[in-house]
Amino acid sequence: MTVVADLMDYAEVIERFDPVLGLEVHVELNTNTKMFCGCSNVFGGEPNTHVCPTCLGLPGALPALNSKAVESAIRIGLALNCEIAEWCRFARKNYFYPDMPKNFQTSQYDEPIAFNGYLDVTLDDGEVVRVEIERAHMEEDTGKSLHVGGATGRIHGADYSLLDYNRAGVPLIEIVTKPVTGAGERAPEVARAYVSTLRDLLRALDVSDVRMDQGSLRCDANVSLMAKDATEFGTRTETKNVNSLRSVERAVRYEMTRQAAVLAGGGTVTQETRHFQEADGTTSSGRTKETAEDYRYFPEPDLVPIAPSREWVDELRKTLPEKPADRRKRIQTEWNLTAEELRDLFNSGAVELVEATVAAGAKPGEARGWWVNFLAQEANSRDTELTALPITPAQVARVTELVASGELTNKLAREVVKGVLAGEGEPDEVVEKRGLKVVSDDSALLAAVDEALAAQPDVADKIRGGKVQAAGAIVGAVMKATKGQADAKRVRELIIERVGA
């Protein structure tokens, strides 16, 4: 039976309490191999096929650190304006859970590789909020439990559980904010914008595919409330593994209204993990949240400390890409976009594709129109990512070139793109195979115009009488007769000439 929690009206929550956020974002790195062994680091695969004695925690197996993961961690830290440790080491985080084959997680505790940073976040109305970063540390991911039976897919009510250790040992960076205060009613929006901005930054760094739907980027949202006259933070809850931007915002908002109702009713908030329910936007109790002491951290004896040289750090600093905020401003200026157009462009995930299409010769507006509108719809209908569509920016640019030259109409161009997506070859090959080139021969067009005029003499009379707008009916008839391959503008000109209007 589902228990519906009491909730406080959001406006009343803001009137009576100040929210405090703490956001922990886990990022799976896109290295070729796992963090401490040579197993393949790819998403999916048959269960328990990307495993070895090391990531299974078998006796006698020893870890070896992935140097590419360390490089990615440093670049992430630098991009977040963090200090990079001159010396740090791994620790063992001890707890028993079935998806931890070693019964401990190799992580970093009090000596992270990056610390004391910040990320500036721009909200929808242009307000900039600085979110301070406590740390970014390296660790390994856990395996994955699949609970079979029951209604929720969680362990409670399940008949049995299956374990897949393919993900165990995948390189992770955990990015932890300092307490985010002062956001007030915009706290849920700040949480969403922070994760969105961080995702854009990580994508630009090319350290992760940041696929929230596949778990390569997931957020643990810590929320607590302080009474207006309080001087200490309230008890926090941690909503685990939230896997979409919208869900981050919804989870924070729900927890604020739930906790406020608990406190107003004289109760106390339990420090615990909670699970977000996508279906109705609620959270449910998970397990009592441990403290650091419960994990019995101690230095990892099988790995040597890490001491990145300042020269190496400086070299990696030179590889950092343009900051997402600077990039947004540049793109908005260069492409003459409104704030809404810019937002839609970035939300679509098509920025890199549009940029590549422009670089291949298309105009920004045309490139944006194809990727954000037509091709985005194609991706949705195929239930795939834009980047997975079987068409390249260069091919889209060629289609825009054919339209600009008058060889294709917009309608025919869409048919060409569909042909490319269907695997029929390059745009020019599709045009040839499907016979889609615009009919530009005046003699052929005139024959179609004469036939349409003869079929609609009353319309022809109206045009002669000065009602030139009536020519649209004849244009439509000609376009139908030529299967949309006529140049509508030229057809209209020929109609006017023919009737002597």
Side-chain angles (χ1 to χ4, degrees), residues 327-369:
R327 184 186 185 201
R328 291 174 77 101
K329 291 177 182 177
R330 174 181 58 78
I331 287 176
Q332 183 172 14
T333 300
E334 290 181 356
W335 296 356
N336 193 29
L337 302 178
T338 66
E340 291 75 19
E341 289 171 337
L342 183 72
R343 182 193 63 218
D344 292 344
L345 173 62
F346 276 84
N347 287 346
S348 71
V351 180
E352 289 79 11
L353 294 167
V354 174
E355 282 190 311
T357 306
V358 171
K363 294 180 179 179
E366 296 169 346
R368 182 170 56 83

Side-chain angles (χ1 to χ4, degrees), residues 469-483:
Q469 63 270 24
I474 305 299
V475 172
V478 173
M479 296 302 291
K480 183 177 181 180
T482 59
K483 299 180 180 179

Side-chain angles (χ1 to χ4, degrees), residues 103-122:
N103 285 345
F104 66 85
Q105 181 186 35
T106 305
S107 181
Q108 290 188 301
Y109 174 45
D110 55 347
E111 298 163 314
I113 193 165
F115 54 94
N116 286 344
Y118 66 87
L119 182 64
D120 287 332
V121 175
T122 303

Side-chain angles (χ1 to χ4, degrees), residues 213-470:
D213 60 315
Q214 294 183 355
S216 54
L217 186 147
R218 49 194 191 265
C219 177
D220 297 343
N222 292 267
V223 179
S224 66
L225 296 178
M226 298 173 61
K228 289 293 184 179
D229 58 353
T231 57
E232 296 183 358
F233 294 159
T235 301
R236 65 185 172 88
T237 62
E238 181 180 9
T239 304
K240 299 287 288 184
N241 297 328
V242 187
N243 63 0
S244 78
L245 298 179
R246 179 171 177 262
S247 295
V248 169
E249 183 170 7
R250 293 172 74 200
V252 170
R253 187 182 182 97
Y254 179 83
E255 270 302 287
M256 289 171 62
T257 57
R258 186 192 69 83
Q259 290 183 25
V262 170
L263 295 171
T268 58
V269 174
T270 302
Q271 182 170 318
E272 63 182 353
T273 63
R274 296 184 69 84
H275 302 295
F276 181 70
Q277 312 297 332
E278 292 281 353
D280 58 8
T282 65
T283 66
S284 59
S285 182
R287 57 182 169 84
T288 301
K289 181 64 178 172
E290 296 88 345
T291 63
E293 289 75 17
D294 295 321
Y295 291 121
R296 293 175 288 119
Y297 283 99
F298 65 86
E300 168 57 69
D302 292 334
L303 289 167
V304 299
I306 304 161
S309 71
R310 297 304 91 178
E311 291 78 15
W312 187 34
V313 172
D314 288 340
E315 289 176 6
L316 293 178
R317 193 187 305 275
K318 295 175 184 177
T319 70
L320 298 182
E322 182 181 22
K323 292 182 179 180
D326 295 338
R327 184 186 185 201
R328 291 174 77 101
K329 291 177 182 177
R330 174 181 58 78
I331 287 176
Q332 183 172 14
T333 300
E334 290 181 356
W335 296 356
N336 193 29
L337 302 178
T338 66
E340 291 75 19
E341 289 171 337
L342 183 72
R343 182 193 63 218
D344 292 344
L345 173 62
F346 276 84
N347 287 346
S348 71
V351 180
E352 289 79 11
L353 294 167
V354 174
E355 282 190 311
T357 306
V358 171
K363 294 180 179 179
E366 296 169 346
R368 182 170 56 83
W370 276 109
W371 288 108
V372 176
N373 298 319
F374 185 78
L375 288 168
Q377 293 172 5
E378 287 289 321
N380 287 336
S381 67
R382 296 166 180 240
D383 192 25
T384 189
E385 294 288 312
L386 264 178
T387 52
L389 286 177
I391 189 169
T392 66
Q395 290 170 328
V396 175
R398 176 55 182 161
V399 172
T400 68
E401 183 181 348
L402 292 171
V403 173
S405 68
E407 296 178 64
L408 291 177
T409 63
N410 288 326
K411 181 178 180 181
L412 293 175
R414 287 191 287 273
E415 293 302 313
V416 172
V417 169
K418 288 180 180 179
V420 175
L421 292 172
E424 297 175 19
E426 294 296 314
D428 291 277
E429 294 176 309
V430 175
V431 170
E432 188 68 27
K433 290 176 182 177
R434 294 195 176 191
L436 296 175
K437 188 171 292 188
V438 166
V439 177
S440 55
D441 179 10
D442 277 3
S443 60
L445 292 178
L446 279 171
V449 167
D450 289 342
E451 185 176 342
L453 288 170
Q456 302 184 64
D458 55 330
V459 176
D461 290 340
K462 289 180 181 179
I463 299 172
R464 291 189 187 95
K467 295 183 178 179
V468 180
Q469 63 270 24

